[in-house]
């Protein structure tokens, strides 16, 4: 868990610590791939690297020292690939889907009736980004929270209009660790119950959770069941985004999907492999061993 969105400084650059943690993570992943005799690695980066002023320099360093080419996904690609995963999970019978995904640096929204969404948007409302930029106290002050809500609402105004124009929704779905954690705190089944258990986050339940977690420190929050220590400090910002998004989009509840961006990347690659055509959007990295299916 790198939390790179929180490693971007006020100057817009990824810090040396953040860059080195990324390098270590890629090195570790490549070593594991070699040990496990993996044929291909799909390595991708999202909003933190995409938006960092020194992002390309960091990518060059990773490529030079590890040989791994990190493919940078656009915000629209993040939304599109997450939507693909959600569609495959729920199937065609789900009708027109609305998909929400809160990451560290951005909020992805996609709407559509096919495997490719009719509308795919990325908004700079990630939980890590907002925590870094707008919540300096732990727990945050009432003033900070009020100002955060105002900022999020204002950013979502044009987005809500676009989603409304995309057509009536049959099923609203949320992915990502943030939504799963919020659902768990509101009473959804734990992860131990398995991925196929239906989990729902209601707007009323979310409001109660948001009010509760806004009053306690990240350390205390991390002690609650279902909350990871590494993400506890940014959960409130994620909750504010989730609540504002649901309210502005007219959603009383969202169903939690266990598949998200990672699964979307894998599914797209499998589709390309089935077709026998190289996927141009996600360059593959071959490990030191000769691929079995080159």
């Amino acid at each position: 868990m790198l939390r790179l969105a929180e490693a971007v400084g006020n100057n817009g650059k990824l810090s040396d610590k953040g860059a080195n943690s990324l390098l270590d993570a890629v090195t570790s992943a490549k070593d594991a791939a070699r040990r496990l005799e993996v044929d291909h690695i799909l390595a991708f980066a999202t909003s933190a690297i995409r938006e960092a002023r020194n992002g390309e320099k960091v990518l060059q360093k990773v490529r030079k020292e590890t040989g791994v080419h990190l493919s940078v996904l656009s915000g629209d690609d993040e939304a599109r690939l997450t939507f693909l995963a959600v569609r495959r999970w729920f199937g065609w019978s789900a009708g027109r889907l609305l998909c929400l995904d809160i990451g560290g640096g951005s909020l992805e929204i996609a709407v559509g009736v096919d495997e490719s969404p009719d509308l795919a948007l990325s908004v700079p409302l990630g939980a890590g980004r907002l925590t870094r930029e707008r919540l300096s106290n732990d727990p945050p002050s009432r003033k900070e929270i009020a100002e955060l809500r105002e900022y999020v609402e204002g950013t979502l105004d044009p987005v809500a209009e676009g989603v409304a124009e995309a057509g009536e929704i049959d099923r609203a779905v949320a992915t990502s660790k943030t939504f799963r954690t919020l659902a768990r705190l509101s009473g959804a089944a734990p992860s131990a119950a398995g991925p196929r258990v239906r989990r729902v986050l209601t707007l009323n339940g979310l409001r109660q959770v948001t009010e509760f977690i806004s009053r306690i420190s990240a350390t205390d929050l991390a002690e609650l069941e279902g909350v990871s220590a590494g993400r506890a400090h940014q959960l409130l910002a994620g909750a504010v985004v989730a609540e504002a998004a649901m309210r502005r989009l007219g959603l009383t509840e969202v169903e939690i999907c266990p598949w998200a961006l990672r699964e979307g990347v894998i599914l797209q690659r499998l589709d390309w492999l089935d077709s026998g055509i190289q996927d141009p959007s996600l360059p593959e990295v071959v490990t030191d061993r000769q691929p079995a299916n080159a």
Side-chain angles (χ1 to χ4, degrees), residues 25-280:
V26 173
T27 300
S28 177
K30 186 177 181 183
D31 289 345
R34 183 184 297 111
R35 184 174 65 255
L36 297 170
E37 299 186 345
V38 169
D39 292 329
H40 303 284
I41 299 173
L42 290 178
F44 59 95
T46 55
S47 60
I49 296 296
R50 182 173 67 237
E51 298 170 9
R53 288 177 55 196
N54 59 338
E56 183 56 38
K57 182 178 180 180
V58 172
L59 293 175
Q60 290 176 359
K61 181 178 180 180
V62 170
R63 191 157 53 241
K64 178 179 179 181
E65 298 194 22
T66 69
V68 174
H69 177 93
L70 281 169
S71 177
V72 181
L73 299 179
S74 70
D76 289 352
D77 280 342
E78 284 191 60
R80 178 179 60 83
L81 289 168
T82 301
F83 185 88
L84 172 63
V86 170
R87 170 60 72 191
R88 293 284 178 89
W89 180 266
F90 286 105
W92 295 107
S93 62
R96 181 176 292 276
L97 287 171
L98 166 63
C99 178
L100 303 175
D101 185 307
I102 300 175
S106 58
L107 162 69
E108 272 66 54
I109 303 175
V111 182
V113 72
D114 207 334
E115 287 205 330
S116 180
D118 302 323
L119 175 70
L121 302 171
S122 182
V123 191
L125 295 177
R129 177 202 296 268
L130 295 179
T131 300
R132 183 193 77 237
E133 294 179 350
R134 298 183 175 273
L135 299 179
S136 58
N137 295 302
D138 183 22
S141 66
R142 297 286 102 183
K143 183 174 183 293
E144 283 181 318
I145 296 174
E147 291 176 348
L148 173 60
R149 282 200 171 102
E150 183 179 0
Y151 172 76
V152 171
E153 293 275 358
T155 305
L156 285 174
D157 280 342
V159 175
E161 294 177 5
V163 172
E165 293 173 359
E168 188 174 348
I169 304 302
D170 295 313
R171 196 167 199 161
V173 178
T175 73
S176 76
K177 181 66 173 177
T178 294
F179 270 113
R180 291 198 299 272
T181 301
L182 293 171
R184 178 71 187 104
L185 289 176
S186 71
S191 58
R196 297 195 176 277
V197 174
R198 187 172 186 268
R199 295 173 174 87
V200 172
L201 175 63
T202 67
L203 182 56
N204 286 337
L206 176 56
R207 284 170 174 159
Q208 293 174 12
V209 168
T210 304
E211 181 62 25
F212 170 67
I213 65 177
S214 69
R215 299 175 182 274
I216 64 177
S217 68
T219 300
D220 292 336
L221 183 56
E223 296 180 358
L224 299 179
E225 182 180 355
V227 180
S228 64
R231 295 179 185 270
H233 67 292
Q234 65 181 42
L235 186 60
L236 176 59
V240 170
V241 173
E243 182 182 335
M246 289 180 66
R247 187 172 61 254
R248 292 295 288 110
L249 298 177
L251 306 175
T252 57
E253 68 175 36
V254 290
E255 190 165 353
I256 306 301
C257 179
W259 282 2
L261 176 60
R262 176 177 55 192
E263 287 76 17
V265 170
I266 295 170
L267 289 166
Q268 177 176 265
R269 171 47 62 97
L270 291 176
D271 288 345
W272 281 88
L273 289 175
D274 285 343
S275 69
I277 302 174
Q278 169 67 36
D279 179 357

